[in-house]
Amino acid sequence: MTHFAYRAGVLHAEDIPVPEIAGTVGTPFYCYSTAALERQFRAFAEAMPKGALIAYAVKANGNLAVIRTLARLGAGADVVSIGELKRALAAGIPASKIVFSGVGKTRPEMAYALDAGLHQFNVEGEGELEALNEVALSKNAVAPVALRVNPDVDAKTHAKISTGKAENKFGIPWTKARAVYARAKSMPGIKIVGVDVHIGSQVTDLEPFRAAFVRVGELVRLLRADGHNIRRIDLGGGLGVPYRDGEILPPPKDYGAMAHQAVGDLDVELIAEPGRFMTASAGILVTQVLYVKESESKRFAVLDAGMNDLIRPALYEAWHDIVTVQEPGPGAARFAYDVVGPVCESTDMFARDRELPKLAPGDLVAILTVGAYGAVLASSYNARPLAPEILVKGGDFAVVRPRPTIEAMMAEERTPAWLKT
Ligand code: LLP
């Protein structure tokens, strides 16, 4: 069941006709559905073994209203910067449910997180471990730590979003893990609480997860035999979502059952860090056709959204379904379009040779499944204002981040003295 569906021939976001929002805020805009966020969170949370901490990976969509919606359902957070940490706290997620991941935490970030009293630091290397130990000691504090180990499994996803192979920059090499745990144990500012793993994103097959979790389980047994008190396993994120109509992916209940099977006998607290699964299908990007251009061999639909608004197709050759906001009539003819944006780059393309109903200037179209890694990856390239974000709940909608004016964007910059005269 989708919360973006045609009713009486018009695409709705829950109970709101999409053109009504477009009429209020203009295009392009991101539109999120509360019901879809809630459905995704509940599906995941109910699938995980009881007591698991669902630490939403804020990087997927950091809008405060989105985080708040998930926080109200009981979500924790996985953050990778002080900015995300402050957002999670501001959105009402208690520090005791926040884990701090990332390969390049700075000392000021560590200090802030220690003061806040975070649940766990996921540490990715020895240098970082030493730094965290020093920062903790300088505060007479002890940092709760899980070491992120690199299980050297192939997540079989896009190379640019794969993280669990030995050649990736992430995690502590498998073969060094026990030695690094031994070092960590000798550091008075560090308290070992668990093991962390994350193999990649948009993982569409459960087997790589299973392989990684089983390896982590074996490591936990070894570490316990070495005398470490391993009480938690952080499974990372990565569960994929369907991007194409009709695509079937492993459901969260299979993921949860597999996790239970792989590590359920270890009597550990489980943490999961889903990002994409929570928000991807809960967001669409609504944009208007500016022009339809025909060259000798191609038909182009030029939209008012560009790669600065949604970079996934340009960056990862990612597929996003595109639909017209007016429902095409039954048996309506379809034409192949290259769907492009206004940005001055040939990579500013959302889809190549995409079969769509006949498009005309002024038509609204929606690019689907963009609630994760959409708005957060946007830029103002070509001096284009960031697209606003709208959150719908039933028959209500709210602008949860307005479109900045060009003047406000320029006002953030300063003129040096020597250019003033
Ligand atoms: N935990 C860690 C340590 C991560 O690095 C990530 C994602 C997650 C959790 C959440 O993974 P998810 O459940 O969302 O797959 N920009 C790319 C995705 C990059 C993901 C990076 N790490 C995209 O648009 O596909």
Side-chain angles (χ1 to χ4, degrees):
M1 140 106 192
T2 165
H3 298 282
F4 300 104
Y6 291 115
R7 288 190 197 170
V10 178
L11 187 69
H12 279 57
E14 301 193 23
D15 299 334
I16 310 254
V18 166
E20 189 182 318
I21 308 175
T24 313
V25 300
T27 53
F29 63 90
Y30 278 94
C31 176
Y32 309 129
S33 154
T34 300
L37 291 169
E38 291 175 348
R39 173 199 60 203
Q40 292 302 103
F41 181 85
R42 291 202 174 106
F44 194 92
E46 284 162 16
M48 290 301 287
K50 273 225 155 21
L53 171 63
I54 315 300
Y56 165 58
V58 169
K59 65 167 77 64
N61 186 323
N63 187 286
L64 289 169
V66 168
I67 308 175
R68 242 177 218 124
T69 302
L70 297 172
R72 288 210 175 166
L73 302 172
D78 166 55
V79 301
V80 294
S81 69
I82 194 166
E84 287 189 356
L85 172 52
K86 287 188 177 185
R87 278 178 178 272
L89 292 169
I93 299 185
S96 59
K97 285 186 176 178
I98 300 178
V99 300
F100 194 176
S101 299
V103 71
K105 302 175 195 76
T106 65
R107 285 167 191 251
E109 287 180 315
M110 292 171 177
Y112 187 88
L114 275 170
D115 288 343
L118 288 206
H119 189 54
Q120 176 170 306
F121 290 82
N122 290 335
V123 171
E124 301 219 6
E126 287 184 80
E128 184 192 342
L129 191 61
E130 283 161 21
L132 182 58
N133 180 47
E134 283 168 25
V135 174
L137 289 179
S138 73
K139 296 178 163 296
N140 278 326
V142 178
V145 164
L147 294 182
R148 174 167 173 184
V149 292
N150 186 327
D152 194 19
V153 302
D154 186 350
K156 300 200 185 84
T157 182
H158 194 292
K160 287 184 180 166
I161 50 177
S162 183
T163 57
K165 286 284 290 167
E167 72 247 30
N168 298 126
K169 72 177 176 184
F170 299 100
I172 289 162
W174 193 255
T175 46
K176 288 181 78 180
R178 281 171 85 185
V180 182
Y181 268 93
R183 274 204 69 195
K185 198 172 185 188
S186 71
M187 296 182 181
I190 301 290
K191 177 176 167 196
I192 294 166
V193 294
V195 179
D196 171 45
V197 69
H198 172 82
I199 58 170
S201 193
Q202 186 55 11
V203 181
T204 55
D205 173 357
L206 293 182
E207 286 318 308
F209 283 126
R210 188 194 306 277
F213 299 168
V214 166
R215 287 205 90 178
V216 166
E218 287 162 7
L219 180 64
V220 168
R221 285 192 188 87
L222 287 173
L223 293 172
R224 283 180 171 167
D226 290 345
H228 300 289
N229 181 14
I230 306 293
R231 296 182 277 125
R232 302 178 191 157
I233 296 179
D234 185 334
L235 303 168
L239 185 60
V241 300
Y243 278 96
R244 291 180 195 236
D245 193 24
E247 205 181 344
I248 308 283
L249 266 79
K253 66 173 173 26
D254 291 3
Y255 173 87
M258 176 275 295
H260 181 69
Q261 202 181 40
V263 297
D265 59 334
L266 288 168
D267 187 27
V268 282
E269 175 199 330
L270 288 183
I271 303 174
E273 302 171 352
R276 189 188 311 266
F277 185 84
M278 295 293 158
T279 57
S281 61
I284 62 174
L285 176 61
V286 180
T287 158
Q288 193 180 143
V289 177
L290 294 175
Y291 303 106
V292 175
K293 248 177 61 155
E294 293 192 23
S295 71
E296 271 144 39
S297 57
K298 286 273 180 193
R299 193 182 280 111
F300 294 99
V302 184
L303 307 180
D304 67 357
M307 63 186 283
N308 70 297
D309 300 302
L310 175 68
I311 203 173
R312 300 195 71 255
L315 198 55
Y316 314 115
E317 294 93 43
W319 174 287
H320 287 269
D321 280 345
I322 300 175
V323 299
T324 52
V325 167
Q326 295 298 325
E327 186 174 18
R334 295 175 89 81
F335 302 87
Y337 290 91
D338 277 9
V339 183
V340 303
V343 171
C344 300
E345 300 254 1
S346 294
T347 52
D348 184 21
M349 183 180 287
F350 294 116
R352 191 185 296 277
D353 290 327
R354 186 69 62 91
E355 297 277 325
L356 292 168
K358 194 158 187 56
L359 296 176
D363 286 356
L364 293 175
V365 300
I367 306 179
L368 306 185
T369 329
V370 299
Y373 308 111
V376 280
L377 281 168
S379 77
S380 52
Y381 185 39
N382 280 198
R384 292 166 49 81
L386 293 180
E389 294 173 276
I390 312 301
L391 181 64
V392 172
K393 182 173 169 59
D396 289 331
F397 75 90
V399 178
V400 292
R401 189 184 66 191
R403 192 189 314 276
T405 63
I406 307 278
E407 288 67 29
M409 290 166 68
M410 289 194 290
E412 285 177 4
E413 294 170 32
R414 299 289 175 266
T415 307
W418 64 87
L419 289 177
K420 279 186 178 157
T421 52

